[in-house]
Amino acid sequence: MLAPVTYAVRRISAATRRHTRRWATSPRALDVITALSCFSLMVLDVPGLAQGDNSLTGLTATLVLAAGAATLVVRRRLPWLPYLVALVLLGWLHELTLIQFALYSLGRFRGRWAGTVATVGYIAVAYALFNLPGWPEHQAGTLSEFLGLVVPIGVLASGVGIAAYRQDLVRELEAQRAETAALQAVQDERTSVARDVHDLVGRELTVLAVRAEVLSVRARGTAHHKDFEELADTARRAHLMLNDTIVHRADERTATPGLEGLPALARESERMGSPVTLEISEAARGLSPLRQTAVYRVVQECLTNAAKHAPGERVAVSIGLDTGRLRVAVGNPLPAAAPPTEPVSSGTGTFSMRERVESMGGTLTAGAHEGVYEVVALLPAGRLPRGEPGRLPR
């Protein structure tokens, strides 16, 4: 009988401890602790306040200070409230404790501008009170004493608050960067998975289309000939839809243009000092978007390399179909002299081009011949799906 009771007590105790820890580290709890800390420091001045001001007793002075310290509970939402109350207590009871907490809160939760304005206002009010008869009560000191006590109190409290405010901004920025990096990693992983799905499923659809075509040829003249043709067309359409759905949408944030983007690349290269001669055959314009993207990337990298290593030389770009294969050739004369400054290059441009071309079943060669540096990429051109002239599958 005692075991269930003991277990329940332990569960309640553990839940209470968790709730207490969460509350103790919450902003509201910190504000309450700040108010209590301020009040505990001001209570030390109660005997002197009751003696110096005949209108207050020990009890009433304690209540006044408690009310002033209680304004710190709302210091995050209304930081100017404890500041104004602190100025009142400064003139009435010569109390400097609350103003330090108020200036810190303004700097911490409203930043440099509010902290600076509040500090200047505090110094101005304190200086005016300093010149009034009876404040402070013992004016054995002079203006230097005022500057050496009252001013540093305000400047230090406000400065610490502003520094904490800036640190909060830094932490928030770091958190946002970490969140952005995490989201980017998730997006990159999704893109990678989508491309893997495209490659694997696309391969199977291609195999299905090829086998259906073979069966269609074998079944020619039979009742199943038309069925196999429809099956092959369905597989090809599914492959095209897979490309449109995964390849395009998975990379829509940095969608690469096709052949239509090459004139803009040529104009950009000319602005960099390397004129471009661009020749694109009409047959090449019917290429699938995936092949056009590969062509765009190859030409883009070649023009970038030409601008780096052969500035001012004319670049010839030729894109066409040659015996059923797509041929991309980019060439430029080698410069008579080396560039005056060593070009900035990562050295991975040609490797990236070759990797992209070979991943599509093509080849890429690059090198100098008879004073001309030429890059030639050969890729499978694909074949037109039935009933869709002018289009090539990817």
mmCIF file of all heavy atoms in Angstrom, residues 80-122:
data_model
loop_
_atom_site.group_PDB
_atom_site.id
_atom_site.type_symbol
_atom_site.label_atom_id
_atom_site.label_comp_id
_atom_site.label_asym_id
_atom_site.label_seq_id
_atom_site.Cartn_x
_atom_site.Cartn_y
_atom_site.Cartn_z
ATOM 1 N N TRP A 80 10.967 52.452 -18.876
ATOM 2 C CA TRP A 80 10.996 53.871 -18.473
ATOM 3 C C TRP A 80 10.265 54.110 -17.150
ATOM 4 O O TRP A 80 10.514 55.122 -16.490
ATOM 5 C CB TRP A 80 10.377 54.746 -19.571
ATOM 6 C CG TRP A 80 11.215 54.834 -20.800
ATOM 7 C CD1 TRP A 80 11.052 54.154 -21.966
ATOM 8 C CD2 TRP A 80 12.387 55.642 -20.972
ATOM 9 N NE1 TRP A 80 12.028 54.483 -22.855
ATOM 10 C CE2 TRP A 80 12.859 55.395 -22.291
ATOM 11 C CE3 TRP A 80 13.077 56.546 -20.167
ATOM 12 C CZ2 TRP A 80 13.987 56.032 -22.803
ATOM 13 C CZ3 TRP A 80 14.203 57.179 -20.675
ATOM 14 C CH2 TRP A 80 14.656 56.921 -21.971
ATOM 15 N N LEU A 81 9.366 53.184 -16.767
ATOM 16 C CA LEU A 81 8.634 53.371 -15.509
ATOM 17 C C LEU A 81 9.557 53.324 -14.301
ATOM 18 O O LEU A 81 9.550 54.259 -13.476
ATOM 19 C CB LEU A 81 7.526 52.321 -15.397
ATOM 20 C CG LEU A 81 6.705 52.355 -14.098
ATOM 21 C CD1 LEU A 81 6.008 53.701 -13.950
ATOM 22 C CD2 LEU A 81 5.687 51.209 -14.075
ATOM 23 N N PRO A 82 10.379 52.296 -14.102
ATOM 24 C CA PRO A 82 11.293 52.332 -12.948
ATOM 25 C C PRO A 82 12.298 53.480 -13.033
ATOM 26 O O PRO A 82 12.741 53.990 -12.006
ATOM 27 C CB PRO A 82 11.997 50.964 -13.006
ATOM 28 C CG PRO A 82 11.765 50.441 -14.369
ATOM 29 C CD PRO A 82 10.471 51.002 -14.819
ATOM 30 N N TYR A 83 12.630 53.917 -14.234
ATOM 31 C CA TYR A 83 13.543 55.049 -14.381
ATOM 32 C C TYR A 83 12.921 56.329 -13.823
ATOM 33 O O TYR A 83 13.555 57.071 -13.049
ATOM 34 C CB TYR A 83 13.903 55.211 -15.854
ATOM 35 C CG TYR A 83 14.700 56.454 -16.165
ATOM 36 C CD1 TYR A 83 16.057 56.525 -15.852
ATOM 37 C CD2 TYR A 83 14.105 57.552 -16.767
ATOM 38 C CE1 TYR A 83 16.797 57.665 -16.135
ATOM 39 C CE2 TYR A 83 14.836 58.688 -17.069
ATOM 40 C CZ TYR A 83 16.182 58.742 -16.752
ATOM 41 O OH TYR A 83 16.909 59.880 -17.029
ATOM 42 N N LEU A 84 11.660 56.592 -14.186
ATOM 43 C CA LEU A 84 10.991 57.803 -13.694
ATOM 44 C C LEU A 84 10.775 57.729 -12.187
ATOM 45 O O LEU A 84 10.952 58.728 -11.466
ATOM 46 C CB LEU A 84 9.655 57.987 -14.420
ATOM 47 C CG LEU A 84 9.753 58.245 -15.933
ATOM 48 C CD1 LEU A 84 8.368 58.320 -16.555
ATOM 49 C CD2 LEU A 84 10.530 59.540 -16.209
ATOM 50 N N VAL A 85 10.391 56.554 -11.685
ATOM 51 C CA VAL A 85 10.214 56.393 -10.238
ATOM 52 C C VAL A 85 11.544 56.592 -9.527
ATOM 53 O O VAL A 85 11.612 57.210 -8.436
ATOM 54 C CB VAL A 85 9.624 55.006 -9.928
ATOM 55 C CG1 VAL A 85 9.611 54.746 -8.421
ATOM 56 C CG2 VAL A 85 8.209 54.897 -10.497
ATOM 57 N N ALA A 86 12.636 56.113 -10.120
ATOM 58 C CA ALA A 86 13.962 56.281 -9.506
ATOM 59 C C ALA A 86 14.357 57.751 -9.427
ATOM 60 O O ALA A 86 14.968 58.178 -8.446
ATOM 61 C CB ALA A 86 14.995 55.494 -10.310
ATOM 62 N N LEU A 87 13.996 58.541 -10.443
ATOM 63 C CA LEU A 87 14.293 59.980 -10.390
ATOM 64 C C LEU A 87 13.510 60.659 -9.274
ATOM 65 O O LEU A 87 14.017 61.567 -8.595
ATOM 66 C CB LEU A 87 13.974 60.624 -11.737
ATOM 67 C CG LEU A 87 14.873 60.238 -12.921
ATOM 68 C CD1 LEU A 87 14.448 60.998 -14.177
ATOM 69 C CD2 LEU A 87 16.343 60.523 -12.606
ATOM 70 N N VAL A 88 12.253 60.203 -9.071
ATOM 71 C CA VAL A 88 11.452 60.768 -7.970
ATOM 72 C C VAL A 88 12.091 60.435 -6.626
ATOM 73 O O VAL A 88 12.232 61.300 -5.746
ATOM 74 C CB VAL A 88 10.010 60.232 -8.041
ATOM 75 C CG1 VAL A 88 9.229 60.662 -6.791
ATOM 76 C CG2 VAL A 88 9.315 60.731 -9.304
ATOM 77 N N LEU A 89 12.496 59.179 -6.448
ATOM 78 C CA LEU A 89 13.138 58.807 -5.187
ATOM 79 C C LEU A 89 14.485 59.501 -5.015
ATOM 80 O O LEU A 89 14.914 59.774 -3.885
ATOM 81 C CB LEU A 89 13.332 57.286 -5.142
ATOM 82 C CG LEU A 89 12.054 56.437 -5.101
ATOM 83 C CD1 LEU A 89 12.409 54.958 -5.000
ATOM 84 C CD2 LEU A 89 11.164 56.843 -3.927
ATOM 85 N N LEU A 90 15.138 59.790 -6.139
ATOM 86 C CA LEU A 90 16.416 60.503 -6.057
ATOM 87 C C LEU A 90 16.229 61.900 -5.491
ATOM 88 O O LEU A 90 17.002 62.357 -4.635
ATOM 89 C CB LEU A 90 17.046 60.563 -7.455
ATOM 90 C CG LEU A 90 18.394 61.271 -7.570
ATOM 91 C CD1 LEU A 90 19.469 60.499 -6.818
ATOM 92 C CD2 LEU A 90 18.790 61.425 -9.042
ATOM 93 N N GLY A 91 15.175 62.600 -5.947
ATOM 94 C CA GLY A 91 14.943 63.956 -5.446
ATOM 95 C C GLY A 91 14.307 64.002 -4.073
ATOM 96 O O GLY A 91 14.549 64.935 -3.301
ATOM 97 N N TRP A 92 13.518 62.973 -3.776
ATOM 98 C CA TRP A 92 12.787 63.004 -2.511
ATOM 99 C C TRP A 92 13.612 62.412 -1.373
ATOM 100 O O TRP A 92 13.769 63.028 -0.309
ATOM 101 C CB TRP A 92 11.477 62.224 -2.688
ATOM 102 C CG TRP A 92 10.624 62.122 -1.452
ATOM 103 C CD1 TRP A 92 10.670 62.920 -0.339
ATOM 104 C CD2 TRP A 92 9.600 61.159 -1.207
ATOM 105 N NE1 TRP A 92 9.751 62.526 0.586
ATOM 106 C CE2 TRP A 92 9.053 61.444 0.068
ATOM 107 C CE3 TRP A 92 9.060 60.107 -1.938
ATOM 108 C CZ2 TRP A 92 8.022 60.701 0.624
ATOM 109 C CZ3 TRP A 92 8.033 59.376 -1.385
ATOM 110 C CH2 TRP A 92 7.516 59.671 -0.124
ATOM 111 N N LEU A 93 14.165 61.217 -1.593
ATOM 112 C CA LEU A 93 14.850 60.508 -0.515
ATOM 113 C C LEU A 93 16.361 60.391 -0.719
ATOM 114 O O LEU A 93 17.026 59.737 0.083
ATOM 115 C CB LEU A 93 14.260 59.091 -0.382
ATOM 116 C CG LEU A 93 12.740 59.006 -0.150
ATOM 117 C CD1 LEU A 93 12.303 57.557 -0.118
ATOM 118 C CD2 LEU A 93 12.360 59.722 1.150
ATOM 119 N N HIS A 94 16.867 61.018 -1.800
ATOM 120 C CA HIS A 94 18.304 60.956 -2.091
ATOM 121 C C HIS A 94 18.772 59.518 -2.268
ATOM 122 O O HIS A 94 19.876 59.148 -1.862
ATOM 123 C CB HIS A 94 19.138 61.640 -0.999
ATOM 124 C CG HIS A 94 18.619 62.974 -0.592
ATOM 125 N ND1 HIS A 94 18.941 63.550 0.610
ATOM 126 C CD2 HIS A 94 17.796 63.854 -1.217
ATOM 127 C CE1 HIS A 94 18.336 64.726 0.710
ATOM 128 N NE2 HIS A 94 17.636 64.927 -0.397
ATOM 129 N N GLU A 95 17.908 58.659 -2.865
ATOM 130 C CA GLU A 95 18.182 57.244 -3.013
ATOM 131 C C GLU A 95 18.789 56.973 -4.400
ATOM 132 O O GLU A 95 18.194 57.306 -5.435
ATOM 133 C CB GLU A 95 16.884 56.445 -2.858
ATOM 134 C CG GLU A 95 17.015 54.954 -3.079
ATOM 135 C CD GLU A 95 18.034 54.332 -2.160
ATOM 136 O OE1 GLU A 95 17.902 54.507 -0.927
ATOM 137 O OE2 GLU A 95 18.974 53.696 -2.665
ATOM 138 N N LEU A 96 19.985 56.379 -4.438
ATOM 139 C CA LEU A 96 20.700 56.137 -5.691
ATOM 140 C C LEU A 96 20.657 54.682 -6.149
ATOM 141 O O LEU A 96 21.124 54.372 -7.243
ATOM 142 C CB LEU A 96 22.173 56.546 -5.535
ATOM 143 C CG LEU A 96 22.448 58.043 -5.358
ATOM 144 C CD1 LEU A 96 23.916 58.275 -5.066
ATOM 145 C CD2 LEU A 96 22.024 58.797 -6.604
ATOM 146 N N THR A 97 20.110 53.791 -5.358
ATOM 147 C CA THR A 97 20.156 52.366 -5.717
ATOM 148 C C THR A 97 19.238 52.035 -6.883
ATOM 149 O O THR A 97 19.632 51.369 -7.852
ATOM 150 C CB THR A 97 19.785 51.501 -4.499
ATOM 151 O OG1 THR A 97 20.659 51.807 -3.414
ATOM 152 C CG2 THR A 97 19.893 50.024 -4.843
ATOM 153 N N LEU A 98 17.996 52.510 -6.807
ATOM 154 C CA LEU A 98 17.021 52.164 -7.839
ATOM 155 C C LEU A 98 17.433 52.711 -9.204
ATOM 156 O O LEU A 98 17.201 52.060 -10.233
ATOM 157 C CB LEU A 98 15.634 52.675 -7.451
ATOM 158 C CG LEU A 98 14.496 52.353 -8.435
ATOM 159 C CD1 LEU A 98 14.375 50.845 -8.633
ATOM 160 C CD2 LEU A 98 13.173 52.947 -7.951
ATOM 161 N N ILE A 99 18.050 53.896 -9.218
ATOM 162 C CA ILE A 99 18.420 54.481 -10.505
ATOM 163 C C ILE A 99 19.461 53.624 -11.222
ATOM 164 O O ILE A 99 19.487 53.546 -12.453
ATOM 165 C CB ILE A 99 18.929 55.934 -10.301
ATOM 166 C CG1 ILE A 99 19.025 56.640 -11.670
ATOM 167 C CG2 ILE A 99 20.260 55.953 -9.587
ATOM 168 C CD1 ILE A 99 17.737 56.822 -12.372
ATOM 169 N N GLN A 100 20.320 52.960 -10.469
ATOM 170 C CA GLN A 100 21.312 52.082 -11.101
ATOM 171 C C GLN A 100 20.629 50.905 -11.797
ATOM 172 O O GLN A 100 20.951 50.572 -12.945
ATOM 173 C CB GLN A 100 22.289 51.573 -10.051
ATOM 174 C CG GLN A 100 23.074 52.675 -9.349
ATOM 175 C CD GLN A 100 23.957 52.124 -8.249
ATOM 176 O OE1 GLN A 100 24.804 51.268 -8.483
ATOM 177 N NE2 GLN A 100 23.752 52.599 -7.023
ATOM 178 N N PHE A 101 19.670 50.280 -11.117
ATOM 179 C CA PHE A 101 18.937 49.171 -11.734
ATOM 180 C C PHE A 101 18.120 49.660 -12.927
ATOM 181 O O PHE A 101 18.007 48.961 -13.947
ATOM 182 C CB PHE A 101 18.012 48.525 -10.698
ATOM 183 C CG PHE A 101 18.716 47.630 -9.727
ATOM 184 C CD1 PHE A 101 19.348 48.147 -8.607
ATOM 185 C CD2 PHE A 101 18.753 46.258 -9.924
ATOM 186 C CE1 PHE A 101 20.003 47.325 -7.717
ATOM 187 C CE2 PHE A 101 19.401 45.424 -9.028
ATOM 188 C CZ PHE A 101 20.040 45.954 -7.926
ATOM 189 N N ALA A 102 17.545 50.848 -12.818
ATOM 190 C CA ALA A 102 16.719 51.382 -13.903
ATOM 191 C C ALA A 102 17.567 51.697 -15.136
ATOM 192 O O ALA A 102 17.172 51.389 -16.273
ATOM 193 C CB ALA A 102 15.975 52.629 -13.426
ATOM 194 N N LEU A 103 18.741 52.303 -14.944
ATOM 195 C CA LEU A 103 19.608 52.607 -16.079
ATOM 196 C C LEU A 103 20.119 51.332 -16.747
ATOM 197 O O LEU A 103 20.218 51.252 -17.976
ATOM 198 C CB LEU A 103 20.783 53.478 -15.614
ATOM 199 C CG LEU A 103 20.431 54.926 -15.247
ATOM 200 C CD1 LEU A 103 21.639 55.635 -14.658
ATOM 201 C CD2 LEU A 103 19.939 55.679 -16.474
ATOM 202 N N TYR A 104 20.459 50.356 -15.937
ATOM 203 C CA TYR A 104 20.890 49.074 -16.511
ATOM 204 C C TYR A 104 19.767 48.455 -17.342
ATOM 205 O O TYR A 104 20.003 47.942 -18.448
ATOM 206 C CB TYR A 104 21.302 48.115 -15.394
ATOM 207 C CG TYR A 104 21.528 46.700 -15.890
ATOM 208 C CD1 TYR A 104 22.736 46.330 -16.465
ATOM 209 C CD2 TYR A 104 20.513 45.748 -15.799
ATOM 210 C CE1 TYR A 104 22.941 45.044 -16.928
ATOM 211 C CE2 TYR A 104 20.713 44.458 -16.263
ATOM 212 C CZ TYR A 104 21.921 44.111 -16.821
ATOM 213 O OH TYR A 104 22.103 42.846 -17.287
ATOM 214 N N SER A 105 18.549 48.499 -16.829
ATOM 215 C CA SER A 105 17.416 47.896 -17.539
ATOM 216 C C SER A 105 17.150 48.603 -18.851
ATOM 217 O O SER A 105 16.851 47.959 -19.869
ATOM 218 C CB SER A 105 16.167 47.932 -16.651
ATOM 219 O OG SER A 105 16.378 47.208 -15.454
ATOM 220 N N LEU A 106 17.260 49.928 -18.871
ATOM 221 C CA LEU A 106 17.045 50.665 -20.119
ATOM 222 C C LEU A 106 18.105 50.305 -21.160
ATOM 223 O O LEU A 106 17.803 50.087 -22.334
ATOM 224 C CB LEU A 106 17.059 52.175 -19.848
ATOM 225 C CG LEU A 106 15.723 52.772 -19.418
ATOM 226 C CD1 LEU A 106 15.911 54.179 -18.890
ATOM 227 C CD2 LEU A 106 14.758 52.779 -20.595
ATOM 228 N N GLY A 107 19.364 50.252 -20.726
ATOM 229 C CA GLY A 107 20.415 49.872 -21.662
ATOM 230 C C GLY A 107 20.283 48.440 -22.137
ATOM 231 O O GLY A 107 20.546 48.135 -23.307
ATOM 232 N N ARG A 108 19.839 47.555 -21.262
ATOM 233 C CA ARG A 108 19.746 46.124 -21.588
ATOM 234 C C ARG A 108 18.596 45.828 -22.537
ATOM 235 O O ARG A 108 18.730 45.014 -23.468
ATOM 236 C CB ARG A 108 19.573 45.324 -20.294
ATOM 237 C CG ARG A 108 19.332 43.836 -20.497
ATOM 238 C CD ARG A 108 20.582 43.152 -21.008
ATOM 239 N NE ARG A 108 20.386 41.745 -21.291
ATOM 240 C CZ ARG A 108 20.494 40.774 -20.396
ATOM 241 N NH1 ARG A 108 20.769 41.081 -19.128
ATOM 242 N NH2 ARG A 108 20.332 39.526 -20.738
ATOM 243 N N PHE A 109 17.457 46.474 -22.344
ATOM 244 C CA PHE A 109 16.272 46.109 -23.101
ATOM 245 C C PHE A 109 15.857 47.131 -24.150
ATOM 246 O O PHE A 109 14.928 46.878 -24.921
ATOM 247 C CB PHE A 109 15.103 45.854 -22.140
ATOM 248 C CG PHE A 109 15.394 44.788 -21.129
ATOM 249 C CD1 PHE A 109 15.476 45.097 -19.780
ATOM 250 C CD2 PHE A 109 15.615 43.478 -21.514
ATOM 251 C CE1 PHE A 109 15.758 44.122 -18.842
ATOM 252 C CE2 PHE A 109 15.894 42.495 -20.579
ATOM 253 C CZ PHE A 109 15.970 42.814 -19.241
ATOM 254 N N ARG A 110 16.515 48.287 -24.190
ATOM 255 C CA ARG A 110 16.189 49.281 -25.213
ATOM 256 C C ARG A 110 17.408 49.729 -26.013
ATOM 257 O O ARG A 110 17.274 50.491 -26.962
ATOM 258 C CB ARG A 110 15.493 50.499 -24.584
ATOM 259 C CG ARG A 110 14.092 50.228 -24.094
ATOM 260 C CD ARG A 110 13.178 49.833 -25.236
ATOM 261 N NE ARG A 110 11.814 49.608 -24.789
ATOM 262 C CZ ARG A 110 11.346 48.438 -24.386
ATOM 263 N NH1 ARG A 110 12.139 47.363 -24.395
ATOM 264 N NH2 ARG A 110 10.095 48.309 -23.994
ATOM 265 N N GLY A 111 18.580 49.306 -25.625
ATOM 266 C CA GLY A 111 19.748 49.566 -26.442
ATOM 267 C C GLY A 111 20.487 50.848 -26.114
ATOM 268 O O GLY A 111 20.216 51.537 -25.128
ATOM 269 N N ARG A 112 21.451 51.156 -26.991
ATOM 270 C CA ARG A 112 22.380 52.259 -26.736
ATOM 271 C C ARG A 112 21.687 53.606 -26.711
ATOM 272 O O ARG A 112 21.989 54.447 -25.861
ATOM 273 C CB ARG A 112 23.467 52.257 -27.816
ATOM 274 C CG ARG A 112 24.513 53.340 -27.640
ATOM 275 C CD ARG A 112 25.610 53.198 -28.658
ATOM 276 N NE ARG A 112 25.092 53.286 -30.021
ATOM 277 C CZ ARG A 112 25.833 53.141 -31.108
ATOM 278 N NH1 ARG A 112 27.113 52.851 -30.988
ATOM 279 N NH2 ARG A 112 25.285 53.244 -32.307
ATOM 280 N N TRP A 113 20.773 53.836 -27.638
ATOM 281 C CA TRP A 113 20.148 55.163 -27.714
ATOM 282 C C TRP A 113 19.381 55.470 -26.433
ATOM 283 O O TRP A 113 19.547 56.542 -25.829
ATOM 284 C CB TRP A 113 19.209 55.214 -28.910
ATOM 285 C CG TRP A 113 18.551 56.551 -29.092
ATOM 286 C CD1 TRP A 113 19.044 57.633 -29.754
ATOM 287 C CD2 TRP A 113 17.264 56.943 -28.589
ATOM 288 N NE1 TRP A 113 18.162 58.684 -29.683
ATOM 289 C CE2 TRP A 113 17.053 58.286 -28.979
ATOM 290 C CE3 TRP A 113 16.277 56.294 -27.841
ATOM 291 C CZ2 TRP A 113 15.896 58.974 -28.649
ATOM 292 C CZ3 TRP A 113 15.128 56.987 -27.509
ATOM 293 C CH2 TRP A 113 14.943 58.316 -27.915
ATOM 294 N N ALA A 114 18.524 54.556 -25.994
ATOM 295 C CA ALA A 114 17.733 54.783 -24.785
ATOM 296 C C ALA A 114 18.637 54.881 -23.567
ATOM 297 O O ALA A 114 18.422 55.737 -22.686
ATOM 298 C CB ALA A 114 16.718 53.655 -24.600
ATOM 299 N N GLY A 115 19.658 54.025 -23.479
ATOM 300 C CA GLY A 115 20.564 54.087 -22.339
ATOM 301 C C GLY A 115 21.308 55.407 -22.262
ATOM 302 O O GLY A 115 21.492 55.971 -21.178
ATOM 303 N N THR A 116 21.740 55.916 -23.411
ATOM 304 C CA THR A 116 22.467 57.197 -23.423
ATOM 305 C C THR A 116 21.560 58.348 -23.024
ATOM 306 O O THR A 116 21.937 59.206 -22.207
ATOM 307 C CB THR A 116 23.051 57.447 -24.819
ATOM 308 O OG1 THR A 116 23.905 56.351 -25.183
ATOM 309 C CG2 THR A 116 23.844 58.745 -24.845
ATOM 310 N N VAL A 117 20.363 58.392 -23.588
ATOM 311 C CA VAL A 117 19.419 59.467 -23.246
ATOM 312 C C VAL A 117 19.067 59.417 -21.763
ATOM 313 O O VAL A 117 19.026 60.467 -21.080
ATOM 314 C CB VAL A 117 18.155 59.349 -24.114
ATOM 315 C CG1 VAL A 117 17.074 60.313 -23.620
ATOM 316 C CG2 VAL A 117 18.492 59.646 -25.573
ATOM 317 N N ALA A 118 18.821 58.227 -21.240
ATOM 318 C CA ALA A 118 18.466 58.100 -19.824
ATOM 319 C C ALA A 118 19.624 58.523 -18.931
ATOM 320 O O ALA A 118 19.414 59.177 -17.886
ATOM 321 C CB ALA A 118 18.058 56.662 -19.520
ATOM 322 N N THR A 119 20.846 58.187 -19.311
ATOM 323 C CA THR A 119 22.004 58.569 -18.499
ATOM 324 C C THR A 119 22.189 60.075 -18.484
ATOM 325 O O THR A 119 22.458 60.680 -17.432
ATOM 326 C CB THR A 119 23.271 57.884 -19.043
ATOM 327 O OG1 THR A 119 23.070 56.474 -19.044
ATOM 328 C CG2 THR A 119 24.466 58.225 -18.177
ATOM 329 N N VAL A 120 22.054 60.712 -19.647
ATOM 330 C CA VAL A 120 22.176 62.181 -19.713
ATOM 331 C C VAL A 120 21.082 62.834 -18.884
ATOM 332 O O VAL A 120 21.329 63.812 -18.150
ATOM 333 C CB VAL A 120 22.115 62.636 -21.184
ATOM 334 C CG1 VAL A 120 22.036 64.161 -21.258
ATOM 335 C CG2 VAL A 120 23.333 62.138 -21.952
ATOM 336 N N GLY A 121 19.859 62.296 -18.975
ATOM 337 C CA GLY A 121 18.766 62.863 -18.177
ATOM 338 C C GLY A 121 19.021 62.706 -16.682
ATOM 339 O O GLY A 121 18.765 63.630 -15.891
ATOM 340 N N TYR A 122 19.537 61.555 -16.293
ATOM 341 C CA TYR A 122 19.843 61.320 -14.878
ATOM 342 C C TYR A 122 20.910 62.293 -14.374
ATOM 343 O O TYR A 122 20.784 62.865 -13.283
ATOM 344 C CB TYR A 122 20.304 59.875 -14.704
ATOM 345 C CG TYR A 122 21.189 59.636 -13.506
ATOM 346 C CD1 TYR A 122 20.671 59.679 -12.214
ATOM 347 C CD2 TYR A 122 22.548 59.368 -13.676
ATOM 348 C CE1 TYR A 122 21.486 59.465 -11.117
ATOM 349 C CE2 TYR A 122 23.371 59.146 -12.591
ATOM 350 C CZ TYR A 122 22.843 59.197 -11.309
ATOM 351 O OH TYR A 122 23.647 58.994 -10.220
#
